[in-house]
Amino acid sequence: MSNPKQDVCCGAIVLYGKQRFLVIAVRGGHCLIGPITVQRVPRHRADVILSGYPDACDEIVRCGDALSVPQWLLTDTEAKVSKRGMRQVISGTSTEFAARQVELLRPGTYRCALARGYRPGDKGRKIGGAPHAE
């Protein structure tokens, strides 16, 4: 931004370098921003279709590629996204970050913890009885 006292709010569409980004969250002097791109056929689970501002035509916000950058590096474009659109983007971002935390766990831990709890040495099969009965 040319003026360091000019604030960028949540839902603003800004320029970072030459690319357009959507401001997802603002905390202190840093902003969490997601890149805005055109829709592609293979979509990621965290892609949200952008709606709620006049120039939105077949554009998505890639919530999985969110960056945290200093606020003074952003240039405001005076375009804003509606509250409904921002709710979808924030929901997509939080879902993506929660899914990444689950993916960091070792294989089998999440399923066992939900079903009946993890037991050291448990191979996941019932001893005795029919093999399909659980």
Side-chain angles (χ1 to χ4, degrees):
M1 299 174 112
S2 58
N3 184 3
K5 294 185 179 186
Q6 183 180 7
D7 291 329
V8 174
C9 64
C10 183
I13 295 180
V14 296
L15 293 175
Y16 178 59
K18 293 182 180 180
Q19 189 176 1
R20 294 182 324 140
F21 285 83
L22 175 69
V23 177
I24 300 170
V26 179
R27 175 68 55 128
H30 287 285
C31 295
L32 182 67
I33 57 175
I36 298 174
T37 60
V38 294
Q39 288 190 22
R40 294 191 278 268
V41 174
R43 287 185 46 203
H44 191 262
R45 65 182 174 209
D47 290 349
V48 177
I49 296 173
L50 191 60
S51 62
Y53 84 102
D55 297 333
C57 55
D58 295 333
E59 293 180 329
I60 58 173
V61 178
R62 304 214 35 127
C63 299
D65 298 337
L67 305 169
S68 179
V69 296
Q71 187 174 352
W72 63 273
L73 292 174
L74 304 175
T75 305
D76 196 6
T77 60
E78 300 297 325
K80 305 272 189 248
V81 176
S82 67
K83 289 183 181 181
R84 184 176 140 252
M86 279 309 298
R87 279 194 295 266
Q88 292 174 345
V89 170
I90 291 171
S91 174
T93 306
S94 62
T95 302
E96 173 64 17
F97 288 141
R100 286 184 182 183
Q101 293 301 316
V102 170
E103 290 168 358
L104 292 176
L105 298 172
R106 69 184 181 87
T109 302
Y110 192 66
R111 182 172 170 255
C112 290
L114 284 179
R116 61 189 180 325
Y118 175 72
R119 295 184 189 112
D122 186 17
K123 300 281 193 287
R125 62 180 187 264
K126 183 178 178 182
I127 297 176
H132 63 278
E134 186 74 31

